[in-house]
């Protein structure tokens, strides 16, 4: 993920970050807590048994 200045933020960029955050698992092993959101999403892609943040946000 690129770092954006406040002037570069768009609704699309914010939506993209929120979508990634929703895919984050609720509980993470200690060694995965520093992963970037895109890496984490890719790591847990295709694992429906993992409870996601979206489950507790709704």
């Amino acid at each position: 993920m690129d770092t954006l200045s406040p002037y570069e933020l768009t609704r699309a960029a914010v939506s993209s970050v929120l979508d990634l955050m929703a895919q984050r698992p609720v509980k993470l092993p200690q060694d995965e807590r520093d992963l970037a959101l895109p890496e984490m999403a890719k790591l847990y892609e295709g694992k429906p048994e993992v409870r996601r943040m979206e489950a507790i946000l709704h």
Side-chain angles (χ1 to χ4, degrees):
M1 242 184 302
D2 296 326
T3 302
L4 300 174
S5 74
Y7 300 105
E8 296 174 305
L9 286 176
T10 63
R11 287 180 187 248
V14 172
S15 292
S16 177
V17 170
L18 290 175
D19 288 344
L20 286 173
M21 288 178 66
Q23 294 175 37
R24 182 193 182 280
V26 173
K27 293 186 178 184
L28 288 169
Q30 184 70 37
D31 61 333
E32 294 176 4
R33 292 183 182 170
D34 291 331
L35 290 176
L37 284 172
E39 292 175 72
M40 195 177 303
K42 187 175 280 191
L43 181 65
Y44 286 93
E45 185 176 31
K47 296 182 180 181
E49 69 279 2
V50 177
R51 188 167 179 228
R52 308 302 173 119
M53 290 297 290
E54 69 181 343
I56 63 170
L57 295 175
H58 293 283

